[in-house]
Amino acid sequence: MSIEINNESGVGVDEESLVALATHVLGEMGINPLAELSIVVIDEDAMAELHEKWMGEPGPTDVLAFPMDELRPGGGARGDSESPADPALLGDVVLCPQVAARQAKEAGHATADELELLCTHGILHLLGYDHAEPEEHKEMFGLQAQLLESWQEVRDSR
């Protein structure tokens, strides 16, 4: 995997851990090892600007995902047993650590854990998952929980 991270937020985040998490998630999802992903960490003002421009919503949000190639689970950058997966430029996951910190405090866990959850969530959006409908929500959040649980096991064994 080629995973690039760019922290423009002015806040220290564990970039190495986020890259390792993203590598784990993409591997678990069967994404071609030649696929590319960008993680961008920005401040609240920049996130508010993107949120308004692309989602029509005021104020900063926690995560945004900007897919590049049309990917759907089982196609695009993912392979199956009959055909090899093509490499792809997945897109950008944009995180806001200030919003993540507030959410982490409300949820009673560390900001790093919240950023990992948000990064996983953003990657799933890049892969075509959504949560607008109840069935989609159930599928996406169930998968997100499984991926974070398997990541926790990997992280704890290091």
Side-chain angles (χ1 to χ4, degrees), residues 74-88:
R78 288 192 53 170
D80 56 35
S81 59
E82 297 173 16
S83 62
D86 295 323

Side-chain angles (χ1 to χ4, degrees), residues 52-75:
E52 173 71 33
K53 180 177 181 177
W54 295 103
M55 304 301 289
E57 299 285 334
T61 190
D62 49 7
V63 60
L64 290 171
F66 297 98
M68 297 302 244
D69 289 345
E70 281 298 313
L71 297 178
R72 294 294 174 256

Side-chain angles (χ1 to χ4, degrees), residues 8 13 17 51 69 71 76 91 137:
E8 303 171 1
V13 298
S17 181
H51 196 212
D69 289 345
L71 297 178
H137 185 278

Side-chain angles (χ1 to χ4, degrees), residues 2 12 22 24 27 30 45 61 64 69 77 89 110 115 137 149 151 158:
S2 174
H24 174 77
D45 291 339
T61 190
L64 290 171
D69 289 345
L89 179 60
L115 285 168
H137 185 278
E149 185 177 321
W151 167 244
R158 293 199 288 173

